[in-house]
Short mmCIF file of all heavy atoms in Angstrom, two decimals:
data_model
loop_
_atom_site.label_atom_id
_atom_site.label_comp_id
_atom_site.label_asym_id
_atom_site.label_seq_id
_atom_site.Cartn_x
_atom_site.Cartn_y
_atom_site.Cartn_z
N GLU A 168 16.95 -103.20 -86.62
CA GLU A 168 17.79 -103.21 -87.82
C GLU A 168 18.83 -102.11 -87.82
O GLU A 168 19.77 -102.14 -88.61
CB GLU A 168 16.94 -103.12 -89.08
CG GLU A 168 16.17 -101.82 -89.26
CD GLU A 168 15.26 -101.88 -90.47
OE1 GLU A 168 14.16 -102.47 -90.38
OE2 GLU A 168 15.66 -101.33 -91.51
N ASN A 169 18.71 -101.13 -86.92
CA ASN A 169 19.69 -100.06 -86.80
C ASN A 169 20.64 -100.25 -85.63
O ASN A 169 21.51 -99.40 -85.38
CB ASN A 169 19.00 -98.70 -86.64
CG ASN A 169 18.14 -98.31 -87.81
OD1 ASN A 169 16.93 -98.13 -87.67
ND2 ASN A 169 18.74 -98.19 -88.99
N ALA A 170 20.49 -101.36 -84.87
CA ALA A 170 21.26 -101.53 -83.64
C ALA A 170 22.75 -101.62 -83.89
O ALA A 170 23.56 -101.07 -83.13
CB ALA A 170 20.77 -102.77 -82.88
N ALA A 171 23.16 -102.30 -84.96
CA ALA A 171 24.59 -102.44 -85.23
C ALA A 171 25.22 -101.08 -85.56
O ALA A 171 26.33 -100.77 -85.11
CB ALA A 171 24.81 -103.41 -86.39
N GLU A 172 24.49 -100.26 -86.32
CA GLU A 172 25.00 -98.92 -86.65
C GLU A 172 25.15 -98.08 -85.41
O GLU A 172 26.18 -97.43 -85.19
CB GLU A 172 24.03 -98.25 -87.64
CG GLU A 172 24.44 -96.85 -88.07
CD GLU A 172 23.42 -96.19 -88.99
OE1 GLU A 172 22.39 -96.83 -89.28
OE2 GLU A 172 23.66 -95.03 -89.38
N ALA A 173 24.14 -98.08 -84.56
CA ALA A 173 24.20 -97.30 -83.32
C ALA A 173 25.25 -97.85 -82.37
O ALA A 173 25.92 -97.10 -81.65
CB ALA A 173 22.84 -97.28 -82.64
N GLY A 174 25.43 -99.18 -82.38
CA GLY A 174 26.40 -99.82 -81.48
C GLY A 174 27.83 -99.49 -81.78
O GLY A 174 28.72 -99.77 -80.97
N ALA A 175 28.09 -98.90 -82.96
CA ALA A 175 29.45 -98.49 -83.29
C ALA A 175 29.91 -97.31 -82.44
O ALA A 175 31.10 -97.00 -82.38
CB ALA A 175 29.54 -98.14 -84.78
N VAL A 176 28.97 -96.65 -81.78
CA VAL A 176 29.30 -95.51 -80.93
C VAL A 176 29.54 -96.01 -79.51
O VAL A 176 28.65 -96.60 -78.89
CB VAL A 176 28.15 -94.47 -80.94
CG1 VAL A 176 28.46 -93.32 -79.99
CG2 VAL A 176 27.93 -93.95 -82.35
N GLU A 177 30.72 -95.81 -79.01
CA GLU A 177 31.06 -96.27 -77.66
C GLU A 177 30.57 -95.29 -76.61
O GLU A 177 30.37 -94.10 -76.88
CB GLU A 177 32.58 -96.45 -77.54
CG GLU A 177 33.15 -97.52 -78.46
CD GLU A 177 34.64 -97.69 -78.28
OE1 GLU A 177 35.25 -96.89 -77.55
OE2 GLU A 177 35.19 -98.63 -78.88
N GLY A 178 30.35 -95.79 -75.42
CA GLY A 178 30.00 -94.94 -74.30
C GLY A 178 28.52 -94.76 -74.06
O GLY A 178 28.13 -93.94 -73.23
N ILE A 179 27.68 -95.53 -74.73
CA ILE A 179 26.25 -95.48 -74.49
C ILE A 179 25.68 -96.88 -74.73
O ILE A 179 26.12 -97.59 -75.64
CB ILE A 179 25.56 -94.42 -75.38
CG1 ILE A 179 24.08 -94.26 -74.98
CG2 ILE A 179 25.69 -94.77 -76.86
CD1 ILE A 179 23.43 -93.03 -75.59
N ASP A 180 24.73 -97.28 -73.90
CA ASP A 180 24.10 -98.60 -74.05
C ASP A 180 23.04 -98.52 -75.14
O ASP A 180 22.16 -97.64 -75.10
CB ASP A 180 23.47 -99.05 -72.74
CG ASP A 180 24.51 -99.35 -71.68
OD1 ASP A 180 25.69 -99.49 -72.04
OD2 ASP A 180 24.15 -99.42 -70.49
N VAL A 181 23.10 -99.43 -76.09
CA VAL A 181 22.19 -99.44 -77.24
C VAL A 181 21.23 -100.62 -77.11
O VAL A 181 21.65 -101.75 -76.85
CB VAL A 181 22.98 -99.54 -78.57
CG1 VAL A 181 22.03 -99.68 -79.74
CG2 VAL A 181 23.87 -98.31 -78.74
N TYR A 182 19.95 -100.35 -77.32
CA TYR A 182 18.92 -101.38 -77.26
C TYR A 182 18.22 -101.45 -78.62
O TYR A 182 17.58 -100.49 -79.04
CB TYR A 182 17.89 -101.06 -76.16
CG TYR A 182 18.50 -101.04 -74.78
CD1 TYR A 182 19.21 -99.93 -74.33
CD2 TYR A 182 18.38 -102.14 -73.94
CE1 TYR A 182 19.80 -99.92 -73.08
CE2 TYR A 182 18.96 -102.13 -72.68
CZ TYR A 182 19.66 -101.02 -72.25
OH TYR A 182 20.25 -101.01 -71.00
N GLY A 183 18.37 -102.57 -79.30
CA GLY A 183 17.71 -102.78 -80.58
C GLY A 183 16.37 -103.46 -80.34
O GLY A 183 16.31 -104.56 -79.81
N VAL A 184 15.28 -102.82 -80.74
CA VAL A 184 13.94 -103.31 -80.42
C VAL A 184 13.11 -103.46 -81.70
O VAL A 184 13.36 -102.79 -82.71
CB VAL A 184 13.22 -102.37 -79.43
CG1 VAL A 184 13.91 -102.39 -78.07
CG2 VAL A 184 13.18 -100.93 -79.96
N SER A 185 12.14 -104.34 -81.65
CA SER A 185 11.35 -104.62 -82.85
C SER A 185 9.85 -104.45 -82.65
O SER A 185 9.09 -104.59 -83.61
CB SER A 185 11.63 -106.05 -83.33
OG SER A 185 11.28 -106.99 -82.33
N SER A 186 9.40 -104.13 -81.43
CA SER A 186 7.96 -103.96 -81.20
C SER A 186 7.74 -103.02 -80.02
O SER A 186 8.60 -102.86 -79.15
CB SER A 186 7.29 -105.30 -80.91
OG SER A 186 7.72 -105.82 -79.65
N LEU A 187 6.56 -102.40 -80.00
CA LEU A 187 6.21 -101.50 -78.90
C LEU A 187 6.17 -102.25 -77.59
O LEU A 187 6.71 -101.81 -76.58
CB LEU A 187 4.85 -100.85 -79.20
CG LEU A 187 4.27 -99.96 -78.10
CD1 LEU A 187 5.21 -98.79 -77.80
CD2 LEU A 187 2.89 -99.45 -78.51
N LYS A 188 5.51 -103.42 -77.57
CA LYS A 188 5.41 -104.20 -76.34
C LYS A 188 6.80 -104.64 -75.86
O LYS A 188 7.11 -104.54 -74.67
CB LYS A 188 4.53 -105.43 -76.58
CG LYS A 188 4.33 -106.31 -75.37
CD LYS A 188 3.35 -105.73 -74.39
CE LYS A 188 1.93 -105.82 -74.88
NZ LYS A 188 0.95 -105.37 -73.81
N GLY A 189 7.64 -105.09 -76.78
CA GLY A 189 8.98 -105.52 -76.41
C GLY A 189 9.83 -104.37 -75.88
O GLY A 189 10.64 -104.56 -74.97
N THR A 190 9.63 -103.18 -76.42
CA THR A 190 10.37 -102.01 -75.94
C THR A 190 10.00 -101.69 -74.51
O THR A 190 10.86 -101.42 -73.66
CB THR A 190 10.11 -100.80 -76.84
OG1 THR A 190 10.39 -101.12 -78.19
CG2 THR A 190 10.97 -99.62 -76.41
N GLU A 191 8.71 -101.71 -74.22
CA GLU A 191 8.26 -101.42 -72.86
C GLU A 191 8.87 -102.41 -71.87
O GLU A 191 9.41 -102.02 -70.83
CB GLU A 191 6.73 -101.48 -72.79
CG GLU A 191 6.19 -101.15 -71.41
CD GLU A 191 5.15 -102.13 -70.91
OE1 GLU A 191 4.36 -102.64 -71.72
OE2 GLU A 191 5.14 -102.38 -69.69
N PHE A 192 8.81 -103.70 -72.19
CA PHE A 192 9.39 -104.71 -71.30
C PHE A 192 10.88 -104.49 -71.10
O PHE A 192 11.41 -104.57 -70.00
CB PHE A 192 9.17 -106.10 -71.88
CG PHE A 192 7.75 -106.60 -71.78
CD1 PHE A 192 7.39 -107.82 -72.32
CD2 PHE A 192 6.77 -105.85 -71.17
CE1 PHE A 192 6.09 -108.30 -72.23
CE2 PHE A 192 5.45 -106.30 -71.08
CZ PHE A 192 5.11 -107.52 -71.61
N THR A 193 11.59 -104.21 -72.20
CA THR A 193 13.04 -104.12 -72.16
C THR A 193 13.53 -102.95 -71.34
O THR A 193 14.36 -103.09 -70.44
CB THR A 193 13.61 -104.03 -73.59
OG1 THR A 193 13.25 -105.21 -74.32
CG2 THR A 193 15.13 -103.90 -73.58
N ILE A 194 13.02 -101.74 -71.62
CA ILE A 194 13.55 -100.57 -70.93
C ILE A 194 13.10 -100.53 -69.48
O ILE A 194 13.84 -100.10 -68.60
CB ILE A 194 13.20 -99.25 -71.65
CG1 ILE A 194 11.68 -99.00 -71.67
CG2 ILE A 194 13.77 -99.23 -73.04
CD1 ILE A 194 11.33 -97.62 -72.23
N GLU A 195 11.90 -101.02 -69.18
CA GLU A 195 11.43 -101.03 -67.80
C GLU A 195 12.22 -102.01 -66.96
O GLU A 195 12.67 -101.68 -65.85
CB GLU A 195 9.94 -101.37 -67.73
CG GLU A 195 9.39 -101.31 -66.32
CD GLU A 195 7.91 -101.68 -66.25
OE1 GLU A 195 7.33 -102.05 -67.29
OE2 GLU A 195 7.36 -101.61 -65.15
N SER A 196 12.45 -103.20 -67.46
CA SER A 196 13.18 -104.20 -66.70
C SER A 196 14.63 -103.80 -66.48
O SER A 196 15.20 -104.01 -65.42
CB SER A 196 13.11 -105.55 -67.42
OG SER A 196 11.77 -105.99 -67.50
N ASP A 197 15.24 -103.18 -67.51
CA ASP A 197 16.62 -102.71 -67.36
C ASP A 197 16.70 -101.61 -66.31
O ASP A 197 17.62 -101.57 -65.50
CB ASP A 197 17.14 -102.19 -68.71
CG ASP A 197 18.54 -101.62 -68.60
OD1 ASP A 197 19.50 -102.40 -68.49
OD2 ASP A 197 18.67 -100.38 -68.58
N TYR A 198 15.71 -100.72 -66.28
CA TYR A 198 15.68 -99.64 -65.30
C TYR A 198 15.57 -100.19 -63.88
O TYR A 198 16.28 -99.77 -62.97
CB TYR A 198 14.51 -98.72 -65.60
CG TYR A 198 14.29 -97.61 -64.60
CD1 TYR A 198 15.04 -96.44 -64.65
CD2 TYR A 198 13.33 -97.73 -63.60
CE1 TYR A 198 14.84 -95.42 -63.73
CE2 TYR A 198 13.12 -96.72 -62.68
CZ TYR A 198 13.88 -95.57 -62.76
OH TYR A 198 13.68 -94.56 -61.84
N ILE A 199 14.69 -101.17 -63.69
CA ILE A 199 14.51 -101.77 -62.37
C ILE A 199 15.80 -102.47 -61.92
O ILE A 199 16.21 -102.38 -60.77
CB ILE A 199 13.33 -102.75 -62.38
CG1 ILE A 199 12.03 -101.99 -62.65
CG2 ILE A 199 13.23 -103.52 -61.08
CD1 ILE A 199 10.86 -102.88 -62.96
N GLU A 200 16.45 -103.16 -62.85
CA GLU A 200 17.70 -103.84 -62.53
C GLU A 200 18.76 -102.84 -62.09
O GLU A 200 19.47 -103.03 -61.10
CB GLU A 200 18.19 -104.63 -63.75
CG GLU A 200 19.49 -105.38 -63.50
CD GLU A 200 19.97 -106.10 -64.75
OE1 GLU A 200 19.41 -105.87 -65.83
OE2 GLU A 200 20.94 -106.87 -64.63
N ALA A 201 18.87 -101.72 -62.83
CA ALA A 201 19.86 -100.69 -62.49
C ALA A 201 19.56 -100.09 -61.12
O ALA A 201 20.47 -99.86 -60.32
CB ALA A 201 19.87 -99.60 -63.56
N CYS A 202 18.28 -99.83 -60.83
CA CYS A 202 17.91 -99.28 -59.52
C CYS A 202 18.24 -100.27 -58.42
O CYS A 202 18.67 -99.89 -57.33
CB CYS A 202 16.42 -98.94 -59.50
SG CYS A 202 15.99 -97.49 -60.46
N GLY A 203 18.05 -101.56 -58.68
CA GLY A 203 18.39 -102.58 -57.70
C GLY A 203 19.87 -102.59 -57.38
O GLY A 203 20.26 -102.69 -56.21
#
Side-chain angles (χ1 to χ4, degrees):
E168 65 186 79
N169 298 119
E172 180 183 0
V176 177
E177 297 182 353
I179 187 167
D180 292 344
V181 174
Y182 297 80
V184 293
S185 60
S186 68
L187 176 60
K188 181 76 73 173
T190 305
E191 182 227 325
F192 286 177
T193 299
I194 64 173
E195 183 181 4
S196 298
D197 177 75
Y198 175 81
I199 295 168
E200 180 182 10
C202 288

